[in-house]
């Protein structure tokens, strides 16, 4: 009897102790909703219209509103009737909408027949909405044949064989079987352009481009690649019923890609010439063909398999001879993830982005000779993005970072430089991250600048940099009154003892410096960018912005939550970036651990004997890697939809950083091959219908862990996509599971018995 009494007493204590914790978790899950209306005039970047006006999104009482500013009149008003647009979207999607909580963050403004339209995405549909009559219609999918990650055509779908008419209207080109045919519009007579097409070497009607003078046309012959299909079982389809099988064209590293060979055809003689491919051998991808405006030839961009060479090629219309206009080569990788070339004066000059001196800079090429005319930018800093090429004024607007000593090297500043040489002219000054939108005519620009600890300021400036008007000044006083505290920036040396590693620290709102807090790292180490937030937004400091439950929600449960960019990520030097080459398993961990230890040495509340980690996609791969390769430091991890073996993931992202052909470096980084190393506690979360990362990647980790007799937790969400638990799907449930996991394994506390909690209900 005493034993039973003791058991009941323990159960009562556990329930009593769990009740306040349950309230804390519920409060954390609802943090975004609690804070959504507590800021005013927090603005997003501007989007210009052709008439010299622009629109932007801002916070208002009750949510968000789109505003339109007219530079001609200086007037500002709502961009449209928000309630009528909400009703129109609801009518098209079948889902109720709120005027100040519209289901999109931005839209494209278009004018058709004098009527303004908004093109937007809402509830998984692409909509075109008339802003006069307020009617929305779903846009039809592109008629072009889809391509798996841009490199393998989906041959299950018929090509769009709409005849391609010449600019002078005299001729049409179309496909007959695997060949191409010319038809004279005047009398309907036809003649073949090609005669040797077949299933394994067909001429692609969708690639046809006519010369401006209608004398030539160019097109690709295609040798099809591997049509690898990923099979997913949709166990719980909408409306119930039996499971469904979903197939997706999904080329993976090492698979054969479509090999395209360009051809030139002369209309008068119907002579067709294959372009010699010696200058673009072993292609990973060729861009769509594009004619020069004067008809002298056509050009295309070439990425070599393995991503160690990128070129622009021009082919003469006179003799079909190709030549290299510009080339970028690397012993590691050329970052083809971002645009790298911009034609000027019909290709007579070329703006080229290059890292040949160890930093990402702009170069101007002579399009005729293929020689560099001048390096437009230089120094130990990087060009981030070309914002505008103003050919009339021969100027380039660009953002850059890392040029200001003592400032955050990731803050974007904006400059303008002449194509004819000279020092860049600086257009932004504030110690913050600047998102600048130049007007189409180059007379104005809108600058939205902020930091994680400073609300956005939106300014309209003239092209000479002078301030015309401050449009918005974010007001976060109500948010501060509700307990919001800005994240802290922290800098420490990386693995080499010299390189600065920049990170962010989020503390509980009731933080007590005399307490000891477990630490949780939010990780994303994808080499295609840098990821520590630099702009203001108090909710989600992951990718996805305000659509995710942020680091603050997790911190409020009694953790210090951090994020940093280690070596191998982008937007620093080429050497900093190259750490990722054939080495995605590194994930910058030597830098991250050094950063953690440096902060712990300064802050006694920062308990690095209890460190957890979480991340999604590539961050999921890194999370698992932390428990496999850095288990002496990381104790618990939650991995969402991870690409745990780079051989199992999409070809485009993985061959860019891991190289081709597939070699042993893939196995070295594999979470499957190294699953037996698992130490610590692991929760795997996966969306059953992930179309970005093959969900079999997760299940192969599960299989390897089972075979290695390892304990772990698995949450497989039926119907869940790649963003499951982050921007769509059962967000609260998946995050509640993550919260519970870290509370148990890093705080040693018993989590609520949610199944028996009164008042719980489906969210």
């Amino acid at each position: 009897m005493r034993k039973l009494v003791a058991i009941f007493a323990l159960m009562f204590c556990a329930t009593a102790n769990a009740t306040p914790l349950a309230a804390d978790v519920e409060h954390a899950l609802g943090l975004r909703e609690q804070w959504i209306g507590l800021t005013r005039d927090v603005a997003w970047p501007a989007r210009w219209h052709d008439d010299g006006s622009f629109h932007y999104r801002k916070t208002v009482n009750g949510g968000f509103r789109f505003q339109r500013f007219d530079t001609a009149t200086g007037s500002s008003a709502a961009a449209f009737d928000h309630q009528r647009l909400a009703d129109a979207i609801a009518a098209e999607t079948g889902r109720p909408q709120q005027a100040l909580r519209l289901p999109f963050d931005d839209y494209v403004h278009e004018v058709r027949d004098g009527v303004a339209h908004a093109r937007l995405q809402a509830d998984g549909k692409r909509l075109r909405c008339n802003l006069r009559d307020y009617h929305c219609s779903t846009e039809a999918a592109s008629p072009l044949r889809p391509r798996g990650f841009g490199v393998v055509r989906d041959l299950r779908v018929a090509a769009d064989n709409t005849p391609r008419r010449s600019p002078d209207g005299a001729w049409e080109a179309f496909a007959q079987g695997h060949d191409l045919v010319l038809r004279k519009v005047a009398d309907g007579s036809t003649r073949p352009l090609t005669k040797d097409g077949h299933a394994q070497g067909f001429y692609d009607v969708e690639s046809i481009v006519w010369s401006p003078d209608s004398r030539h046309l160019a097109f690709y012959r295609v040798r099809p690649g591997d049509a690898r299909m990923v099979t997913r079982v949709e166990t719980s389809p909408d409306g119930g019923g039996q499971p469904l099988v979903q197939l997706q064209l999904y080329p993976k590293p090492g698979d054969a890609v479509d090999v395209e060979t360009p051809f030139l055809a002369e209309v008068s003689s119907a002579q067709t010439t294959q372009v010699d491919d010696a200058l673009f051998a072993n292609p990973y991808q060729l861009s769509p063909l594009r004619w020069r405006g004067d008809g002298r030839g056509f050009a295309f961009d070439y990425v070599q398999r393995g991503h160690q060479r990128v070129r622009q090629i021009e082919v003469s219309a006179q003799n079909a001879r190709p030549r290299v206009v510009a080339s970028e080569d690397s012993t590691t990788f050329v970052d083809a993830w971002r645009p790298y070339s911009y034609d000027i004066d019909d290709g007579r000059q070329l703006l080229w982005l290059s890292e040949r001196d160890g930093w990402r800079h702009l170069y101007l090429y002579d399009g005729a000779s293929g020689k560099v005319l001048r390096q437009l930018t230089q120094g130990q800093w990087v060009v981030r993005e070309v914002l505008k090429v103003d050919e009339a004024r021969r100027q380039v607007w660009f953002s850059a970072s890392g040029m200001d000593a003592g400032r955050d090297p990731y803050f974007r500043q904006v400059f303008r430089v002449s194509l004819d040489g000279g020092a860049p002219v600086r257009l932004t000054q504030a110690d913050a991250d600047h998102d600048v939108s130049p007007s189409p005519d180059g007379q104005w620009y809108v600058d939205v600048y902020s930091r994680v600890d400073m609300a956005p300021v939106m300014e309209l400036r003239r092209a000479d940099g002078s301030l015309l008007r401050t449009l918005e000044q974010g007001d976060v006083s109500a948010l501060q009154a509700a307990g919001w505290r800005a994240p802290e920036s922290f800098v420490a040396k990386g693995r080499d003892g010299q390189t600065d590693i920049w990170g962010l620290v989020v503390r509980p709102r009731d933080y007590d410096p005399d307490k000891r807090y477990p630490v949780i790292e939010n990780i994303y180490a994808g080499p295609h960018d840098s990821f520590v937030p630099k702009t203001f937004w108090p909710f989600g400091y992951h990718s996805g912005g305000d659509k995710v439950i942020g680091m603050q929600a997790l911190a409020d449960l009694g953790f210090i939550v951090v994020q940093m960019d280690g070596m191998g990520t982008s937007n620093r030097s080429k050497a900093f970036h190259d750490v990722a080459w054939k080495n995605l398993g590194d994930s910058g961990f030597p830098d991250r651990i050094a950063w953690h230890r440096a902060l712990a040495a300064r802050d006694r509340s920062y308990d690095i004997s209890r460190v957890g980690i979480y991340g999604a996609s590539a961050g999921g791969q890194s999370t698992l890697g932390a428990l496999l390769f850095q288990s002496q430091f990381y104790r618990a991890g939650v991995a969402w939809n991870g690409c745990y073996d780079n051989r199992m993931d999409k070809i485009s992202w993985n061959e860019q950083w891991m190289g081709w052909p597939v070699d042993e470096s893939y196995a070295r980084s594999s979470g499957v091959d190294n699953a037996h190393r698992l130490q610590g506690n692991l929760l795997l979360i996966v969306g059953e219908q992930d179309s970005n990362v093959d969900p079999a990647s997760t299940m192969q980790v599960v299989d390897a862990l089972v075979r290695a007799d390892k304990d772990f937790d698995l949450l497989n969400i039926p119907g869940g996509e790649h963003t499951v638990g982050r921007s769509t799907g059962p967000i609260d449930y998946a995050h509640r599971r993550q919260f519970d996991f870290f509370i148990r394994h890093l705080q040693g506390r018993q989590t609520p018995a949610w199944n028996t909690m009164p008042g719980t209900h489906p969210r």
Side-chain angles (χ1 to χ4, degrees):
M1 183 67 181
R2 289 179 180 176
K3 187 174 182 180
L4 286 174
V5 170
I7 291 173
F8 283 128
L10 287 171
M11 290 174 61
F12 174 80
C13 290
T15 302
N17 289 335
T19 302
L21 180 55
D24 290 343
V25 171
E26 292 282 7
H27 189 270
L29 290 170
L31 187 61
R32 182 177 186 271
E33 289 301 314
Q34 298 157 34
W35 282 0
I36 199 72
L38 297 184
T39 66
R40 303 288 182 272
D41 304 325
V42 168
W44 276 254
R47 299 290 180 258
W48 286 90
H49 304 177
D50 291 338
D51 62 1
S53 65
F54 57 87
H55 73 263
Y56 59 94
R57 187 176 184 237
K58 60 180 285 189
T59 58
V60 295
N61 286 329
F64 308 90
R65 185 175 72 204
F66 286 91
Q67 198 78 1
R68 177 178 175 272
F69 185 86
D70 189 336
T71 56
T73 63
S75 61
S76 180
F80 44 75
D81 186 319
H82 286 64
Q83 186 59 59
R84 293 186 69 187
L85 184 57
D87 294 342
I89 294 173
E92 182 66 15
T93 63
R95 296 189 181 186
Q97 307 292 343
Q98 300 178 48
L100 298 183
R101 301 290 292 277
L102 292 171
F104 58 93
D105 296 337
D106 203 356
Y107 66 94
V108 175
H109 177 89
E110 287 185 351
V111 177
R112 285 192 168 190
D113 299 323
V115 178
H117 290 74
R119 295 179 59 201
L120 54 94
Q121 291 196 356
D123 293 324
K125 295 184 176 182
R126 296 175 57 190
L127 304 181
R128 182 185 298 276
C129 299
N130 181 309
L131 297 181
R132 182 185 64 187
D133 302 327
Y134 288 92
H135 170 77
C136 294
S137 58
T138 301
E139 291 193 304
S142 168
L144 297 179
R145 176 179 274 160
R147 297 190 187 191
F149 302 113
V151 293
V152 177
R153 290 164 174 78
D154 191 342
L155 300 182
R156 298 173 300 171
V157 178
D160 176 15
N161 198 24
T162 303
R164 273 63 176 173
R165 182 164 290 194
S166 61
D168 64 6
W171 298 91
E172 290 179 334
F174 59 95
Q176 276 188 353
H178 300 301
D179 284 299
L180 299 181
V181 174
L182 268 181
R183 179 168 58 205
K184 196 170 186 177
V185 173
D187 59 15
S189 60
T190 62
R191 57 185 179 187
L193 274 177
T194 67
K195 298 179 181 179
D196 59 346
H198 52 88
Q200 296 305 309
F202 63 87
Y203 293 91
D204 182 16
V205 64
E206 295 182 339
S207 71
I208 292 173
V209 287
W210 281 91
S211 65
D213 58 12
S214 301
R215 295 172 57 191
H216 298 88
L217 63 162
F219 46 84
Y220 282 129
R221 185 173 64 193
V222 179
R223 186 179 74 207
D226 290 342
R228 180 189 295 277
M229 293 291 172
V230 162
T231 304
R232 300 189 299 271
V233 177
E234 189 176 357
T235 59
S236 307
D238 288 344
Q242 296 300 315
L244 302 175
V245 174
Q246 305 291 354
L247 294 176
Q248 179 186 358
L249 179 63
Y250 194 106
K252 296 185 177 184
D255 287 353
V257 299
D258 288 355
V259 175
E260 300 167 321
T261 303
F263 279 71
L264 175 69
E266 184 183 46
V267 174
S268 61
S269 64
Q271 180 180 352
T272 299
T273 305
Q274 177 178 334
V275 178
D276 182 10
D277 64 359
L279 296 177
F280 47 95
N282 189 23
Y284 169 76
Q285 190 174 43
L286 304 183
S287 72
L289 304 170
R290 55 189 185 274
W291 277 92
R292 300 304 192 192
D294 61 3
R296 68 183 185 276
F298 62 89
F300 58 91
D301 301 318
Y302 153 66
V303 179
Q304 187 185 57
R305 193 79 187 262
H307 292 80
Q308 292 180 302
R309 170 171 290 169
V310 171
R311 285 176 167 173
Q312 185 182 105
I313 304 291
E314 183 174 289
V315 179
S316 170
Q318 291 185 341
N319 52 28
R321 289 178 183 169
R323 64 183 181 85
V324 177
V325 180
S327 183
E328 186 77 6
D329 298 88
S330 175
T331 57
T332 56
F333 56 81
V334 176
D335 187 359
W337 201 255
R338 62 190 72 240
Y340 46 86
S341 66
Y342 303 83
D343 291 333
I344 297 170
D345 189 19
D346 195 26
R348 291 177 178 84
Q349 290 186 339
L350 181 70
L351 186 65
W352 189 260
L353 201 60
S354 172
E355 293 182 286
R356 65 192 60 187
D357 70 355
W359 302 85
R360 190 189 309 134
H361 282 298
L362 293 171
Y363 294 76
L364 185 67
Y365 274 80
D366 180 353
S369 68
K371 294 181 179 179
V372 174
L373 292 173
R374 63 187 59 90
Q375 183 173 350
L376 299 176
T377 64
Q378 56 186 318
Q380 294 189 2
W381 48 275
V382 295
V383 171
R384 296 287 291 271
E385 182 182 3
V386 174
L387 303 176
K388 178 182 177 62
V389 178
D390 188 335
E391 292 195 46
R393 297 180 177 90
R394 290 192 56 78
Q395 295 173 341
V396 180
W397 299 59
F398 65 93
S399 62
S401 59
M403 72 293 298
D404 295 327
R407 289 184 176 182
D408 189 321
Y410 294 95
F411 282 166
R412 293 172 296 169
Q413 301 288 345
V414 174
F415 299 80
R416 190 174 57 240
V417 67
S418 171
L419 291 170
D420 299 319
V425 176
R426 186 164 183 154
L427 299 175
T428 58
Q429 300 293 337
D431 184 13
D433 185 80
H434 295 258
D435 199 322
V436 166
S437 305
S439 65
D441 61 9
Q443 294 188 57
W444 319 92
Y445 63 95
V446 179
D447 180 13
V448 179
Y449 61 91
S450 70
R451 299 189 304 260
V452 292
D453 62 348
M454 184 182 80
V457 177
M458 174 181 261
E459 297 174 340
L460 176 62
R461 291 181 176 268
R462 300 178 183 87
D464 63 6
S466 60
L467 177 65
L468 180 68
R469 182 170 175 177
T470 298
L471 299 170
E472 305 289 352
Q473 171 70 67
D475 180 356
V476 297
S477 56
L479 189 65
Q480 291 169 327
W484 175 75
R485 55 187 298 155
E488 305 162 24
S489 180
F490 181 70
V491 187
K493 299 300 181 185
R495 69 185 75 187
D496 59 4
Q498 298 179 350
T499 305
D500 285 340
I501 303 298
W502 287 71
L504 206 62
V505 183
V506 179
R507 301 181 189 273
R509 283 180 288 164
D510 61 355
Y511 172 73
D512 181 348
D514 292 326
K515 290 184 178 180
R516 296 275 284 170
Y517 292 90
V519 174
I520 299 177
E521 180 181 340
N522 171 16
I523 190 169
Y524 195 94
H528 57 278
D529 212 339
S530 52
F531 304 97
V532 174
K534 302 299 175 183
T535 57
F536 179 84
W537 191 246
F539 304 110
Y541 289 107
H542 331 226
S543 60
D546 62 342
K547 292 185 178 180
V548 295
I549 302 222
M551 293 163 67
Q552 187 66 59
L554 186 53
D556 284 350
L557 295 173
F559 302 97
I560 296 177
V561 187
V562 299
Q563 188 176 14
M564 70 218 70
D565 284 313
M567 292 185 188
T569 52
S570 187
N571 299 322
R572 299 284 287 275
S573 69
K574 174 65 170 165
F576 189 102
H577 201 185
D578 275 349
V579 170
W581 174 239
K582 291 184 174 292
N583 191 30
L584 291 183
D586 177 274
S587 294
F589 281 126
D591 311 302
R592 297 170 186 277
I593 293 172
W595 188 95
H596 281 290
R597 287 176 172 155
L599 183 53
R602 290 183 46 178
D603 182 355
R604 68 170 307 276
S605 70
Y606 196 80
D607 185 359
I608 59 169
S609 70
R610 295 179 291 165
V611 180
I613 187 169
Y614 71 98
S617 195
Q621 177 182 10
S622 295
T623 296
L624 177 61
L627 301 183
L628 303 182
F629 306 121
Q630 305 291 340
S631 57
Q632 79 287 353
F633 189 80
Y634 295 96
R635 288 181 46 181
V638 179
W640 302 68
N641 291 76
C643 43
Y644 304 110
D645 188 308
N646 300 107
R647 296 164 294 192
M648 284 291 294
D649 192 25
K650 68 194 77 65
I651 190 173
S652 53
W653 194 85
N654 293 274
E655 282 196 11
Q656 164 74 80
W657 313 114
M658 293 295 289
W660 176 91
V662 173
D663 59 19
E664 52 81 29
S665 65
Y666 282 77
R668 271 204 321 270
S669 295
S670 169
V672 177
D673 291 0
N674 292 283
H676 63 279
R677 300 175 181 271
L678 178 67
Q679 297 184 40
N681 300 286
L682 171 66
L683 168 60
L684 296 167
I685 300 176
V686 63
E688 172 192 77
Q689 293 302 308
D690 189 342
S691 60
N692 186 324
V693 174
D694 185 352
S697 184
T698 296
M699 300 314 296
Q700 290 188 4
V701 171
V702 168
D703 178 63
L705 291 172
V706 169
R707 293 175 182 274
D709 199 26
K710 296 291 185 177
D711 290 339
F712 62 96
D713 294 315
L714 172 66
L715 174 59
N716 188 346
I717 298 181
E721 247 285 1
H722 189 61
T723 53
V724 66
R726 292 181 288 139
S727 64
T728 59
I731 297 175
D732 287 359
Y733 179 77
H735 274 86
R736 195 263 292 166
R737 290 287 300 271
Q738 174 171 287
F739 291 172
D740 284 359
F741 183 85
F742 284 132
I743 288 168
R744 288 196 307 272
H745 293 297
L746 295 181
Q747 294 179 347
R749 302 167 70 191
Q750 182 175 344
T751 52
W754 293 102
N755 290 354
T756 59
M757 292 288 292
T760 57
H761 54 83
R763 296 181 177 87

